Amino acid sequence: MDGPDRVFTPRAFVETDLSRLDALIAADPFVTLVTTAADGTPFATHLPVLYRRDGDAILVEGHWAKPNPQARHSGQALMIVHGPHAYVSANWYPDKEAAARVPTWNYAAAHLYGELERHDDEAGLADLVSRLSDRFEASVGQSWRFEPERDDQRVQLRGIIGFRFLPARVEMKFKFNQNHPLANREAVIDALEQLDGAGARATAEMMRNIAL
């Protein structure tokens, strides 16, 4: 899935290991899907998805509410997968004075480019909603399930449009001070671990795995 970058990514921050994408979307399966309307207007929707990868082949599935204008879009699309992020103070760098360091923002993100396919058959939607509810109910320790045999639940499928997204290209940017000396990276991790907030701690944990 190589080719010219569509995202500005200095070489130090390029990530190509798709297992990193697996981890990003497992941690945060709430993505941003961007399409273009017939008149050229960009349109974005934020939604939960199911993700599967077999080697380089990736499948992402989800659905829209039928009134969503994006539910009428198909063809080429961009899906943004969001990773942890945190502000980095220049005061944390041991060489801040000698190297005239400035603040920055550390983060991970993935951009997936590919073909979007719509579907609205009842059986396919029932299967999709069942798998979505199983996945996310389990994540919060609950057991609600979609019951397609119930008329009052099955009729609600008329209000959604499903999609399958098949990325042909993946660009990942993991910006975690890899262009800094090891002492700076270690200092940033230590500082982030002392902060309140899951974002800072998740960024520190990912830095330990990526930047050390």
Side-chain angles (χ1 to χ4, degrees):
M1 295 190 181
D2 296 327
D5 285 344
R6 295 180 176 88
V7 179
F8 172 62
T9 308
R11 186 176 299 275
F13 306 143
V14 171
E15 178 58 67
T16 59
D17 184 349
L18 289 177
S19 69
R20 303 290 193 194
L21 174 62
D22 301 344
L24 277 190
I25 203 163
D28 188 358
F30 194 71
V31 305
T32 302
L33 180 61
V34 183
T35 57
T36 304
D39 65 359
T41 303
F43 196 96
T45 300
H46 310 281
L47 34 72
V49 293
L50 295 173
Y51 167 89
R52 185 169 72 243
R53 181 173 67 86
D54 182 8
D56 287 343
I58 295 169
L59 172 65
V60 187
E61 299 175 276
H63 68 78
W64 305 278
K66 187 173 287 186
N68 185 336
Q70 195 175 65
R72 297 187 291 276
H73 296 181
S74 60
Q76 290 298 302
L78 161 66
M79 182 173 287
I80 302 172
V81 180
H82 307 278
H85 59 92
Y87 175 77
V88 175
S89 171
N91 283 335
W92 296 341
Y93 300 132
D95 66 352
K96 63 180 181 294
E97 293 298 334
R101 298 294 185 186
V102 296
T104 191
W105 206 283
N106 280 2
Y107 65 92
H111 286 195
L112 283 57
Y113 301 87
E115 192 78 12
L116 192 61
E117 302 174 352
R118 303 162 63 251
H119 64 90
D120 60 3
D121 63 288
E122 184 176 285
L125 291 176
D127 175 67
L128 172 62
V129 172
S130 293
R131 288 185 289 118
L132 280 165
S133 59
D134 289 347
R135 162 70 172 86
F136 293 111
E137 283 289 306
S139 72
V140 295
Q142 296 299 309
S143 58
W144 182 89
R145 57 179 295 272
F146 178 71
E147 301 175 68
E149 66 276 9
R150 288 179 47 175
D151 291 342
D152 59 344
Q153 290 196 10
R154 189 175 63 253
V155 71
Q156 296 185 53
L157 297 174
R158 300 174 188 171
I160 64 174
I161 301 291
F163 68 80
R164 292 163 50 90
F165 180 63
L166 305 167
R169 177 179 173 80
V170 174
E171 294 176 2
M172 292 185 284
K173 184 173 183 177
F174 282 55
K175 180 181 176 294
F176 292 126
N177 293 118
Q178 296 97 317
N179 56 339
H180 279 245
L182 178 60
N184 283 4
R185 302 198 298 273
E186 291 176 332
V188 169
I189 292 170
D190 290 343
L192 289 173
E193 288 178 336
Q194 302 306 310
L195 297 179
D196 292 331
R201 292 193 296 271
T203 301
E205 180 179 0
M206 188 163 284
M207 286 187 68
R208 285 198 180 280
N209 294 329
I210 302 294
L212 294 185

